[in-house]
Amino acid sequence: MHEVAAYLRDLPMWAAALLFLAENVLILLVGVGLGTAVLRLSRAVRLMPDTGRAEPLQLWLAAGAVVLNTGVTLAGWKLWTLDVIRLDLDTTWWIAVDLLVLLLIMDFASYVGHALAHLPPLYPLGHRLHHRFVDARPITLFALHPGEVIAFGALWLLVLAVVPFSVWALVGYTVVNLVFGVFGHLGVEPLPLRWRRSRFFTIVATPTMHTMHHFNPARNLGFYTTLWDRLFRTLDDDYDRRRTGLPARPARCP
């Protein structure tokens, strides 16, 4: 890893930009491919009607998100070469702790940012664009207002600049973020009921949680856990109904 880090530090800007563009295109393709495979191969409970192909606007927004995320990654690389962002390159048991801490920090920060995005003065300026896609598809995760992509990227870089993490924790977080994001935008619940009734999924968010947010945008604002929704009382009561085997009753999206 130290040899790879040394190679990356010495890359010219144009080469780094091409590398990170390829990385973000790959993330998009893996996410959409994973979501499509789950929809085709699983017998998941459908929470939303299948409306067919994604809208052209979703595709354009996703393409824009790839370009903007490439810029965020490039900015992070530059901050790393300047030692503003510091990464631990060693492989130790501390990686698991780093990953857990990073997930909790980003979960809380994302919850706060998500709640702010739903405030009446701000909602029409950006986040409402994402919520027009109530019939969520695998590509919907990437169908975001450009301002939201930049804001989340800035939040991500700020966290990394303040707290040094293991590079492997960053890789792990990227995978977790992609999996939660994709499964939360499929419009299905692939997890068996007996799993969803467990104590583990009392805290860890299921795909149903974010799917219900697309029906009722004032509720279920968390991403990876239910902790902050429970603490700030924004968890939809119908979300917990799935623990009894009863179907959630979605509210109409404004």
Side-chain angles (χ1 to χ4, degrees), residues 78-98:
K78 189 62 179 180
L79 291 173
W80 172 65
T81 63
L82 297 174
D83 291 327
V84 175
I85 291 177
R86 300 173 303 282
L87 300 175
D88 183 359
L89 303 177
D90 295 326
T91 305
T92 67
W93 65 270
W94 194 255
I95 293 172
V97 177
D98 258 12

Side-chain angles (χ1 to χ4, degrees), residues 159-227:
V159 169
L160 296 183
V162 172
V163 185
F165 286 102
S166 164
V167 67
W168 296 112
L170 268 63
V171 173
Y173 172 78
T174 301
V175 173
V176 170
N177 184 59
L178 181 64
V179 170
F180 271 76
V182 168
F183 276 70
H185 289 88
L186 293 182
V188 300
E189 178 51 82
L191 296 174
L193 180 61
R194 61 187 178 85
W195 289 15
R196 304 197 311 270
R197 284 174 172 167
S198 69
R199 292 183 179 180
F200 180 76
F201 284 109
T202 299
I203 300 300
V204 176
T206 64
T208 297
M209 180 179 170
H210 193 75
T211 300
M212 289 300 104
H213 170 72
H214 274 261
F215 279 113
N216 188 356
R219 300 292 179 180
N220 299 356
L221 300 171
F223 287 90
Y224 317 121
T225 74
T226 66
L227 290 173

Side-chain angles (χ1 to χ4, degrees), residues 57-253:
L57 179 58
Q58 286 178 294
L59 302 179
W60 281 109
L61 289 173
V66 167
V67 173
L68 291 174
N69 280 328
T70 298
V72 170
T73 310
L74 190 63
W77 167 79
K78 189 62 179 180
L79 291 173
W80 172 65
T81 63
L82 297 174
D83 291 327
V84 175
I85 291 177
R86 300 173 303 282
L87 300 175
D88 183 359
L89 303 177
D90 295 326
T91 305
T92 67
W93 65 270
W94 194 255
I95 293 172
V97 177
D98 258 12
L99 177 57
L100 179 60
V101 171
L102 181 56
L103 281 169
L104 289 175
I105 290 175
M106 290 302 297
D107 194 37
F108 176 70
S110 297
Y111 174 90
V112 173
H114 198 186
L116 291 174
H118 276 281
L119 291 177
L122 299 178
Y123 185 65
L125 301 179
H127 196 52
R128 185 167 63 183
L129 180 61
H130 179 66
H131 273 277
R132 69 171 281 170
F133 309 116
V134 178
D135 52 333
R137 307 295 301 161
I139 197 71
T140 307
L141 167 63
F142 303 93
L144 298 167
H145 189 282
E148 288 193 280
V149 178
I150 295 172
F152 184 83
L155 172 64
W156 170 240
L157 296 181
L158 176 63
V159 169
L160 296 183
V162 172
V163 185
F165 286 102
S166 164
V167 67
W168 296 112
L170 268 63
V171 173
Y173 172 78
T174 301
V175 173
V176 170
N177 184 59
L178 181 64
V179 170
F180 271 76
V182 168
F183 276 70
H185 289 88
L186 293 182
V188 300
E189 178 51 82
L191 296 174
L193 180 61
R194 61 187 178 85
W195 289 15
R196 304 197 311 270
R197 284 174 172 167
S198 69
R199 292 183 179 180
F200 180 76
F201 284 109
T202 299
I203 300 300
V204 176
T206 64
T208 297
M209 180 179 170
H210 193 75
T211 300
M212 289 300 104
H213 170 72
H214 274 261
F215 279 113
N216 188 356
R219 300 292 179 180
N220 299 356
L221 300 171
F223 287 90
Y224 317 121
T225 74
T226 66
L227 290 173
W228 318 114
D229 281 297
R230 294 183 185 279
L231 179 62
F232 298 110
R233 299 184 179 181
T234 53
L235 192 68
D236 192 340
D237 291 337
D238 278 348
Y239 165 70
D240 278 338
R241 283 169 59 83
R242 93 274 192 263
R243 308 178 74 75
T244 66
L246 296 174
R249 297 176 300 200
R252 185 176 296 276
C253 181

